[in-house]
Each structure stands twice: as C-alpha cells, then as structure tokens.
Amino acid sequence: MNARAYSAVTALAALLLMAGCSQDIPHATIVGGPPAAAAPGNLLPGTAPARQTAYCKVGKASFYEGGGSRGASGMRLKRGMLYAAHRTLPFGTVVRVTNLKNGRSCLCRIADRGPFHRHRIIDVSSAAARELGMVRAGVVTVRVETVNAR
C-alpha cells in the first residue's frame, strides 16, 4: 500500500471513529444531527428554548436538589421540576437524558451551571433522577441529547 492510500485509509478511519454517539465510549462524544420536537411537560415555566445545533454526549451524570434556590439562569428551582445543570448548553435548552443501564429517559430544561466534578457531563434534579432510576446509584452513565433548536 503506498503512502497516499495509507493516508486516505487513516483519515477515513479517524472520521468513522469520531462520527458515533456510542454507549461503549467511556468519555463524552459530541455528534450532530437533526433535533426531535420538544414536549416540555412539567419543565420550568417561562423559559424560552435557546437556539443551538443538535448535540449528543455520553458520559456520567449525578443529581442534586436545588429546591427553593435560584439557578444560574435566575429561575427558581422547585422540588418536583425536571431541570438540569450543564456547563455549556444555553439556559432554556431542553435535553433528553437517557440512563444507559436501564433505558429510562426524561426531558429536562437546562436551568443551572455545573456539574463541578471533572468527570461528569450533567447534573439532574432529584425529580429527574427518580424518573431515570438513578437515586440509589447516585452516578450513572447517560446519553444527553438536545431535543429542540429554533
């Protein structure tokens, strides 16, 4: 195999490795794609979804209770609401969080900043953690996907 063909095969292999949002990858992976329609349910009221590109990440998630306090977005974080903290997604973004161990998922609105633990990609509210079946485990592997983009 000549050097030119070897370079082409190497480049193609690198693109294929970067293209997937797989459950088997232990670190976070970003993938683009068309967003699905949002169904906000009991998400935080009065927040408009922000415009962004569709995105998908696989990584670790934990949960917290911000009940009664205000998140970084200024919204009051009430008990029983489905919200999440993310480092970079715009406030108001609706994401589908899927627990990869049991397949359960829920929709959360980004209302706070965090997590402040190096190896985690999202913190969800305790209500979302109950829906995901992760309260006992505390930290689980999840897939986070945006479900709205205007």
Side-chain angles (χ1 to χ4, degrees):
M1 181 182 278
N2 65 23
R4 188 177 208 174
Y6 182 75
S7 295
V9 169
T10 303
L12 180 60
L15 286 172
L16 290 173
L17 286 173
M18 293 186 293
C21 182
S22 173
Q23 298 175 5
D24 299 329
I25 299 174
H27 58 281
T29 304
I30 300 174
V31 181
N42 66 343
L43 301 173
L44 292 172
T47 55
R51 181 175 177 80
Q52 80 267 350
T53 59
Y55 130 144
C56 176
K57 275 192 175 184
V58 173
K60 298 290 184 183
S62 55
F63 70 95
Y64 73 110
E65 182 59 64
S69 65
R70 290 191 183 271
S73 66
M75 294 298 300
R76 184 161 305 278
L77 305 178
K78 300 177 185 173
R79 292 183 66 108
M81 300 294 275
L82 301 176
Y83 56 85
H86 193 274
R87 289 184 193 97
T88 59
L89 285 174
F91 294 127
T93 302
V94 177
V95 294
R96 178 180 310 282
V97 182
T98 305
N99 182 338
L100 298 180
K101 186 168 185 168
N102 61 20
R104 294 171 68 177
S105 68
C106 69
L107 296 177
C108 297
R109 188 175 303 273
I110 303 300
D112 206 357
R113 289 292 175 225
F116 299 108
H117 189 279
R118 183 175 174 194
H119 298 291
R120 297 187 189 146
I121 62 169
I122 196 166
D123 276 338
V124 296
S125 66
S126 57
R130 282 190 296 277
E131 286 202 19
L132 294 170
M134 64 178 277
V135 173
R136 183 174 289 232
V139 177
V140 297
T141 303
V142 297
R143 179 174 42 245
V144 178
E145 304 167 283
T146 56
V147 293
N148 69 327
R150 293 190 296 180

